[in-house]
């Protein structure tokens, strides 16, 4: 207890002595000594007012009047520091030992002016260049013999106003409420500093430990460590640095609000080209070194919101031509958002506002002025559903790009991807609702304006259509070129055309409502060539080659195609039933014909096929050609087998000024029954014949065309049958409704005008009956009125019998009956002709009689003389004949001579009588 009491007494006595000593110390002397020593240490004029007072709290020491520290000689804006007062702290134990040891300096509300010259000199660089203290200075003795020691255990500046002037950049900024807390107990050693400043809206606090303040001020490398805190940020650094400037340190930063930190530093993000609402979360972890021109970043890890960048980089700061080399790993999330934060909106580059891809890659980068080379490996990029992966090498030399890339591309919604890239499909004429997809491995090269690309494992789809294969693409001098092998499947051509922004064609079945194709293709100089082509248009399959020229107003197509069995039944409009379409009482279809397709293309197409089914017409092997020029198509029938015969000729469809059709067709040994049934629903005639037809028609529908037809027809049939009538039965039995007429040598010629076929020279034979015919067949109205006149030969005592038969009515149900009116006309005509013939015969007969009488008289005399001679010779022959006859009879009958003589005389008399008659007849007697 006594010990404690003694200890307390000792302490109280010591304190009392210190206070008494301090109170006895003259303040002006302390101020003068402190000013002198500070001037020596800083190399600047330090002025401290001699008006002083002793203070016990909060600083034990002396409080002075105004104080100042002069600025550098070149500075133009006043002292470095001015203060209305200065508190000087004194070390009590040292004071008791007779030494004035200043441990603390405190200035309240001082004014500080920091200036940097245009050449980089700073007015806060205190110490002469040759003063490089390496250890703590010893206590010095003033002129009056007082021992003095300046050892700043703590220097405080509170509520200061700070003005910063940079003559090089023209910066002139002022800050208020600046606090400084410096602990520098050993002037040759380390210092701990705390700086607090509120330059704008946020308080910034720097805590740092400087290993050698004096060395740092002289430009030596000095160990540093500390933190900078403000606006929620915490930046830690540790390493070495100098004021040359040089540095090598580890920096770790956690900045939850980078924009707030910039504003706290007086830097408006918008003024730096960043977004006005720039305020991402930023993290930095890197080894940083700087030698004045080269900034080296090692083991760098940067984070900006969700994006990261790591690796090594070297930056050489060369005026107008910075140099950068780096090996980095980048993982960029939400690149569009990042662009906006960096003040570069996607719209600035023509991209869609929603452009916001993500990108990850290992990057090797070299930048030298405006020349850039970069290598990207392990590249992955995504933009909504789109994906790209692979590698790329990028070079930009003197503004000329040189890019090589090997990528795997997947665009499930290429329309959306194109829209995000600022190129909506509508810019290319495609429908906004089109949803194409693309997937491929792409090897591409871009050098200047020349582009080449190879697409492998290509798979593309749009509106349900799919294309796959491999293609090579190039653009050189602005001219595109394409080659490759592709397979296409188009379930709906109409949907595809609508997706491509084109009107959907109403194609008949068999003409490509659905398409499947495979081909080797080549495109160059506006010329598309398809070789090894196999294409299925619905149920019809073609193979061969196609060449399409795209340089004109419409495509020019040249093709050579082969096909098997082609089904074009849709052309008949009824699925192939001829009897329903062509013989329908309602007539031909009046639906308008859309022939605009004739103007959509020019060219020449050759086609060979095993068979062609046109619904109404069933054709066999065909060799055809199609030439289309300016909405006019000519179909050449080189060889066509059908209906047991062959066809040749051409068919023309012209839509240049309204639709017209024409043709010149030749048929040889064609089965007329099936053909006429198919063409006109007429099933009454059977037989193989020859037919030549030339025709021309015009109109907007089948009905209009059929009613406008003009042309010529020639028909010959060696033999055949006509059902519904038996001409021979009609003649012999009067029955015109019998079932069948067999005929030979039918021939007819006709003229078509106004849709009606007129014929007046039909001839045909049935063996014992010939027939002739005349009348018309109205092709437009599907009616006929035709008179057939059978002529029977060798009928009893009559030379011939004629009974006309009229076939009349619609094609679908004509009436066939004898024509009595025509028959009556024939009988009257016959009688008139017979009377004329009789009169002519009588005249000729009388003439002949007169001539005969004249000749008769001349011959009579001569005949009488000749008759006498003949009579004598005849009588002698009669006697001889009678005698011989009597002798033979007598021998056979066994008669005597008297009876023989009597028989001889009788035979003689009989022969003489007959002889007399013959002579009379010879001589014209009665």
């Amino acid at each position: 207890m006594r010990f404690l009491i003694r200890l307390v007494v000792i302490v109280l006595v010591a304190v009392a002595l210190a206070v008494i000593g301090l109170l006895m110390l003259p303040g002006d002397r302390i101020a003068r000594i402190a000013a002198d020593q500070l001037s020596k240490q800083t190399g600047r004029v330090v002025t401290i007012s001699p008006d002083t007072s002793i203070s016990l709290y909060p600083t034990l020491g002396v409080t002075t009047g105004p104080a100042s520290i002069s600025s550098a000689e070149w500075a133009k804006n006043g002292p470095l520091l001015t203060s209305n007062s200065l508190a000087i702290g004194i070390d009590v134990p040292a004071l008791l030992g007779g030494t004035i040891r200043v441990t603390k300096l405190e200035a309240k509300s001082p004014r500080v002016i920091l200036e940097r010259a245009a050449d980089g000199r700073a007015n806060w660089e205190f110490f002469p260049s040759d003063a490089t203290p390496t250890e703590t200075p010893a206590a010095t003795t003033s002129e009056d013999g007082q021992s003095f020691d300046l050892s700043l255990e703590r220097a405080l500046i509170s509520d200061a106003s700070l003005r910063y002037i940079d003559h090089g950049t023209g910066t002139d900024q002022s800050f208020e409420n600046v606090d400084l807390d410096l602990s520098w107990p050993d002037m040759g050693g380390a210092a701990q500093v705390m700086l607090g400043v509120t330059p704008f809206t946020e308080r910034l606090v720097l805590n740092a430990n400087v290993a050698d303040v004096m060395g740092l001020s002289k430009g030596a490398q000095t160990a540093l460590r500390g933190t900078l805190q403000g606006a929620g940020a915490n930046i830690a650094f540790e390493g070495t640095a100098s004021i040359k400037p040089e540095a090598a340190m580890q920096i770790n930063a956690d900045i939850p609000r980078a924009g707030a930190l910039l504003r706290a530093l007086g830097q408006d993000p918008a003024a730096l080209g960043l977004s006005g609402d720039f305020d991402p979360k930023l993290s930095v972890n890197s080894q940083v070194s700087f030698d004045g021109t080269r900034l080296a970043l090692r083991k760098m890890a940067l984070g900006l919101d969700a994006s990261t960048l790591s690796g090594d980089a070297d930056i050489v700061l060369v005026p107008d031509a910075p140099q950068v080399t780096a090996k980095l790993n980048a993982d960029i999330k939400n690149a569009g958002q990042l662009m906006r934060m960096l003040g570069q909106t996607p719209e600035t580059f023509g991209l869609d506002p929603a452009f916001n891809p993500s990108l990850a890659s290992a990057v090797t980068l070299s930048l030298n002025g405006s020349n850039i080379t970069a290598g990207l490996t392990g590249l992955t990029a995504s933009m909504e559903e789109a994906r790209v992966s692979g590698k790329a090498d990028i070079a930009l030399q003197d503004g000329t790009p040189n890019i090589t890339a090997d990528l795997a591309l997947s665009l499930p919604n290429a329309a959306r991807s194109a829209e995000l890239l600022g190129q909506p499909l509508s810019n290319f004429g495609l429908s906004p609702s089109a949803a194409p997809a693309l997937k491929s491995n792409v090897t591409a090269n871009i050098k200047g304006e020349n582009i080449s690309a190879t697409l492998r494992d290509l798979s593309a789809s749009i509106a349900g259509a799919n294309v796959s294969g491999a293609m090579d693409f190039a653009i050189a001098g602005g001219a595109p070129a394409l080659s490759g092998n592709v397979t296409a499947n188009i379930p709906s051509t109409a949907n595809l055309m609508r997706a491509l922004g084109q009107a959907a064609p109403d194609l008949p079945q068999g003409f490509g409502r659905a398409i499947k194709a495979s081909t080797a293709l080549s495109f160059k100089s506006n010329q598309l060539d398809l070789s090894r082509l196999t294409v299925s248009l619905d149920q019809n399959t073609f193979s061969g080659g196609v060449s399409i020229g795209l340089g004109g107003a419409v495509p020019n197509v040249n093709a050579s195609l082969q096909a098997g069995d082609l089904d074009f039944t849709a052309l008949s409009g009824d699925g192939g039933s001829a009897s329903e379409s062509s013989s329908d009482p309602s007539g031909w279809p009046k639906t308008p014909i859309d022939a605009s397709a004739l103007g959509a293309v020019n060219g020449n197409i050759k086609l060979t096929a095993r068979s062609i089914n046109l619904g109404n017409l069933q054709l066999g092997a065909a060799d055809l050609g199609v030439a289309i020029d300016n909405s006019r198509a000519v179909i050449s029938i080189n060889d066509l087998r059908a209906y047991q015969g062959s066809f040749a000729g051409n068919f023309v469809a012209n839509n240049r000024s309204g639709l017209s059709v024409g043709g010149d067709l030749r048929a040889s040994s064609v089965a007329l029954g099936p053909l006429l049934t198919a063409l006109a629903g007429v099933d009454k005639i059977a037989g193989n014949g020859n037919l030549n037809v030339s025709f021309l028609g015009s109109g907007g529908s089948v009905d209009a065309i059929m009613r406008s037809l003009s042309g010529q027809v020639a028909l010959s049939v060696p033999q055949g049958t006509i059902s519904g009538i038996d001409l021979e039965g009609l003649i012999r039995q009067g029955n015109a409704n019998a079932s069948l007429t067999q005929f030979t040598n039918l021939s007819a010629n006709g003229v078509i005008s106004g849709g009606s076929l007129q014929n007046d020279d039909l001839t045909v034979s049935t063996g014992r009956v010939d027939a002739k015919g005349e009348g018309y067949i109205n092709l437009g109205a599907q009616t006929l009125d035709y008179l057939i006149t059978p002529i029977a030969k060798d009928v009893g005592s009559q030379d011939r019998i004629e009974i006309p038969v009229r076939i009349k009515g619609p094609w679908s149900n004509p009436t066939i009956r004898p024509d009595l009116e025509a028959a009556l006309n024939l009988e009257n005509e016959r009688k008139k002709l017979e009377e004329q013939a009789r009169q002519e015969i009588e005249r000729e007969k009388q003439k002949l009689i007169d001539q005969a009488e004249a000749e008769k008289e001349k011959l009579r005399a001569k005949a009488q003389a000749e008759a006498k001679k003949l009579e004598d010779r005849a009588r002698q022959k009669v006697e001889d004949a009678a005698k011989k006859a009597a002798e033979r009879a007598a021998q056979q009958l066994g008669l005597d001579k008297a009876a023989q003589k009597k028989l001889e005389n009788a035979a003689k008399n009989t022969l003489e009588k007959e002889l007399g008659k013959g002579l009379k007849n010879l001589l014209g007697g009665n």
Side-chain angles (χ1 to χ4, degrees):
M1 188 66 181
R2 291 179 179 177
F3 173 76
L4 292 176
I5 294 174
R6 290 175 182 173
L7 180 61
V8 171
V9 172
I10 293 173
V11 171
L12 291 175
V13 171
V15 172
L17 291 174
V19 172
I20 293 171
L22 179 62
L23 293 175
M24 293 177 63
L25 184 67
D28 57 346
R29 185 177 174 190
I30 295 175
R32 187 178 66 252
I33 294 173
D36 292 342
Q37 294 301 316
L38 287 172
S39 295
K40 291 179 180 179
Q41 293 297 326
T42 62
R44 301 289 176 83
V45 176
V46 178
T47 301
I48 299 176
S49 171
D51 298 330
T52 62
S53 62
I54 302 300
S55 65
L56 299 177
Y57 181 86
T59 301
L60 182 61
V62 177
T63 300
T64 75
S68 66
I69 301 176
S70 67
S71 187
E73 293 180 357
W74 51 265
K76 304 176 182 178
N77 292 279
L80 173 66
L81 181 146
T82 59
S83 177
N84 292 331
S85 65
L86 183 66
I88 302 174
I90 303 299
D91 186 349
V92 174
L95 179 61
L96 294 176
T99 299
I100 299 176
R101 185 180 182 190
V102 178
T103 59
K104 182 179 180 181
L105 292 176
E106 181 177 359
K108 291 183 178 181
S109 304
R111 294 176 299 280
V112 179
I113 299 177
L114 302 180
E115 288 188 72
R116 180 182 292 276
D119 59 7
R121 290 175 298 165
N123 71 337
W124 60 83
E125 295 175 351
F126 295 124
F127 306 103
S129 60
D130 58 350
T132 309
T134 58
E135 57 184 25
T136 301
T140 62
T141 302
S142 63
E143 295 177 356
D144 56 4
Q146 177 66 52
S147 177
F148 183 85
D149 181 7
L150 179 61
S151 178
L152 290 178
E153 293 181 1
R154 193 176 187 191
L156 291 175
I157 295 178
S158 59
D159 194 25
S161 63
L162 174 65
R163 182 184 180 192
Y164 173 71
I165 303 171
D166 189 333
H167 297 285
T169 62
T171 302
D172 189 343
Q173 291 179 307
S174 296
F175 306 97
E176 301 296 330
N177 193 23
V178 178
D179 295 330
L180 175 67
D181 188 346
L182 173 64
S183 178
W184 189 13
D186 185 352
M187 294 195 66
Q192 184 72 33
V193 63
M194 186 285 294
L195 174 64
V197 63
T198 307
F200 295 95
T201 59
E202 298 280 350
R203 188 68 172 172
L204 301 178
V205 178
L206 172 65
N207 285 285
N209 183 278
V210 182
D212 184 358
V213 176
M214 301 299 290
L216 178 63
S217 66
K218 296 297 183 179
Q221 288 277 356
T222 302
L224 296 174
R225 70 175 183 274
T227 62
L228 174 65
Q229 296 176 324
N234 185 17
I235 303 172
F237 54 90
E238 183 174 4
T240 61
S242 75
I243 61 173
K244 289 186 177 180
E246 294 176 340
M249 59 181 60
Q250 176 70 36
I251 297 178
N252 297 301
D254 182 12
I255 306 172
R257 298 177 57 204
L261 180 60
L262 284 174
R263 292 182 181 91
L265 294 172
Q267 299 296 325
D268 184 2
L272 298 175
L274 303 173
S275 170
D277 58 357
F278 177 86
D279 203 21
K281 179 181 179 181
L282 177 64
S283 63
V284 180
N285 189 335
S286 178
Q287 296 177 2
V288 181
S289 64
F290 182 66
D291 63 5
T293 58
R294 180 184 297 273
L295 175 65
L297 305 175
R298 296 292 182 266
K299 297 181 181 180
M300 174 180 61
L302 302 180
L304 187 64
D305 283 343
S307 300
T308 61
L309 181 66
S310 61
D312 300 332
D314 290 287
I315 304 172
V316 179
L317 301 178
V318 179
D320 300 326
Q323 298 175 6
V324 179
T325 58
K327 290 184 178 180
L328 306 170
N329 287 298
D331 187 1
I332 309 300
K333 307 294 187 184
N334 304 320
Q337 180 180 341
L338 180 60
M339 291 173 65
R340 292 184 186 280
M341 284 194 300
L342 297 176
Q344 301 294 328
T345 63
E347 298 93 315
T348 303
F349 300 93
L351 303 172
D352 188 80
F355 176 83
N356 200 30
S358 295
L359 172 69
S361 178
V363 181
T364 301
L365 175 67
S366 176
L367 184 149
N368 188 352
S370 61
N371 296 330
I372 302 173
T373 59
L376 285 71
T377 58
L379 170 66
T380 61
S382 63
M383 185 170 61
E384 295 186 358
E385 299 176 276
R387 299 289 184 272
V388 177
S389 61
K391 61 181 180 179
D393 292 310
I394 303 171
L396 184 63
Q397 302 291 328
D398 299 325
T400 301
N402 189 346
I403 302 173
T404 301
D406 190 355
L407 305 172
L409 182 66
S410 177
L411 304 178
N413 189 344
R416 178 58 176 165
S417 298
E419 181 182 1
L420 292 173
L421 293 172
Q423 298 295 329
L425 298 184
S426 57
N427 287 358
F428 305 96
L430 276 70
S431 168
S433 62
L438 175 65
K439 185 176 182 181
S440 180
N441 292 324
V442 182
T443 300
N445 180 262
I446 301 174
K447 189 171 185 178
E449 296 181 352
N450 297 329
I451 302 173
S452 63
T454 299
L455 284 71
R456 295 291 179 264
D457 302 320
L458 170 66
S459 176
S461 63
I462 180 172
N466 297 283
V467 176
S468 60
M471 293 174 40
D472 295 318
F473 173 78
I475 296 179
L482 182 70
S483 63
N485 295 279
V486 297
T487 299
N489 181 17
I490 305 173
S492 173
T493 303
N495 290 344
L496 176 61
M497 295 304 293
R498 279 190 288 266
L500 295 175
Q502 304 297 319
D506 185 15
L507 297 173
Q509 182 71 18
F511 283 82
R513 289 184 174 182
I515 300 174
K516 292 183 178 180
S518 63
T519 185
L521 62 86
S522 174
F523 177 79
K524 189 175 183 180
S525 301
N526 289 323
Q527 185 74 25
L528 175 62
D529 295 319
L530 306 177
S531 58
R532 302 193 302 276
L533 170 67
T534 299
V535 59
S536 296
L537 305 179
D538 302 320
Q539 68 273 24
N540 297 319
T541 300
F542 302 84
S543 61
V546 178
S547 179
I548 304 174
L550 301 175
V554 298
N556 188 72
V557 179
N558 291 281
S560 179
L561 302 173
Q562 300 81 44
D565 299 316
L566 299 179
D567 180 2
F568 296 133
T569 55
L571 291 177
S572 66
D574 56 10
S577 175
S579 61
E580 293 180 6
S581 64
S582 57
S583 299
D584 193 318
S586 62
W588 301 105
K590 297 181 174 62
T591 305
I593 299 174
D594 183 4
S596 59
L598 290 173
V601 66
N602 293 330
N604 290 277
I605 302 173
K606 296 180 180 180
L607 171 65
T608 59
R610 185 167 53 240
S611 69
I612 303 176
N613 182 354
L614 296 175
N616 295 341
L617 296 174
Q618 305 288 329
L619 309 179
D623 181 358
L624 309 175
V626 180
I628 306 174
D629 179 38
N630 191 21
S631 298
R632 182 177 183 271
V634 178
I635 301 176
S636 300
I637 304 175
N638 302 318
D639 185 18
L640 175 62
R641 304 293 171 171
Y643 299 98
Q644 304 175 20
S646 62
F647 291 81
N650 61 71
F651 176 84
V652 179
N654 189 341
N655 195 41
R656 291 176 178 173
S657 55
L659 179 62
S660 64
V661 296
D664 185 1
L665 305 177
R666 301 176 297 280
S668 300
S669 190
V670 174
L672 296 178
L675 178 60
L676 292 176
T677 299
L679 290 175
V682 177
D683 58 358
K684 305 295 185 181
I685 299 176
N688 288 31
N690 303 315
L691 178 67
N692 291 336
V693 179
S694 61
F695 65 92
L696 177 64
S698 62
S701 67
V702 175
D703 180 77
I705 291 173
M706 295 303 293
R707 292 179 184 275
S708 69
L709 285 177
S710 62
Q712 295 181 336
V713 178
L715 172 68
S716 65
V717 184
Q719 60 182 12
T721 62
I722 301 176
S723 61
I725 186 171
D726 181 357
L727 295 179
E728 290 195 4
L730 176 67
I731 296 299
R732 300 182 181 281
Q733 301 176 12
N735 181 10
N737 294 317
S739 61
L740 190 69
T741 296
Q742 295 183 346
F743 66 85
T744 60
N745 300 323
L746 184 151
S747 66
N749 296 281
V751 176
I752 304 173
S753 178
S756 181
L757 170 62
Q758 186 73 37
N759 161 252
D760 58 6
D761 65 351
L762 172 69
T763 61
V764 63
S765 175
T766 66
R768 289 182 295 176
V769 176
D770 292 337
K772 61 182 180 178
E774 61 181 346
Y776 72 87
I777 300 174
N778 194 322
L779 303 175
Q782 297 186 357
T783 62
L784 76 163
D785 186 354
Y786 204 83
L787 181 67
I788 297 179
T789 304
I791 304 172
K793 300 177 292 184
D794 302 329
V795 183
S797 60
Q798 298 292 329
D799 290 335
R800 53 192 252 170
I801 297 177
E802 300 181 4
I803 300 180
V805 175
R806 187 169 294 278
I807 304 173
K808 187 175 182 179
W811 295 356
S812 58
N813 188 26
T815 59
I816 303 176
R817 57 172 55 94
D819 191 332
L820 297 180
E821 181 180 353
L824 181 61
N825 290 338
L826 284 175
E827 181 62 22
N828 293 336
E829 186 69 17
R830 185 182 67 78
K831 289 180 179 180
K832 182 177 180 180
L833 292 175
E834 285 181 350
E835 178 63 23
Q836 292 176 353
R838 188 187 64 77
Q839 293 176 2
E840 183 67 22
I841 290 173
E842 287 297 327
R843 287 194 294 270
E844 291 298 325
K845 178 180 177 182
Q846 185 61 45
K847 184 177 179 179
L848 291 175
I849 289 174
D850 293 342
Q851 292 177 350
E853 288 296 327
E855 293 295 326
K856 182 177 179 182
E857 293 299 327
K858 293 179 181 180
L859 295 174
R860 184 179 298 277
K862 185 177 180 179
Q864 289 176 351
E866 293 295 327
K868 180 62 178 171
K869 294 180 182 179
L870 290 173
E871 183 179 5
D872 292 340
R873 289 196 295 271
R875 289 183 180 279
Q876 182 61 46
K877 290 183 178 180
V878 166
E879 290 178 358
D880 293 341
K883 185 177 180 178
K884 291 180 179 180
E887 290 178 352
R888 288 196 298 272
Q891 292 178 357
Q892 293 176 352
L893 298 174
L895 299 177
D896 55 13
K897 289 186 181 277
Q900 177 179 349
K901 185 63 175 177
K902 188 176 178 179
L903 181 61
E904 179 180 346
N905 291 332
K908 181 178 178 182
N909 292 332
T910 300
L911 292 173
E912 285 179 351
K913 288 180 180 179
E914 293 297 325
L915 177 62
K917 292 180 179 180
L919 290 174
K920 287 182 179 180
N921 290 334
L922 176 65
L923 297 174
N926 296 323

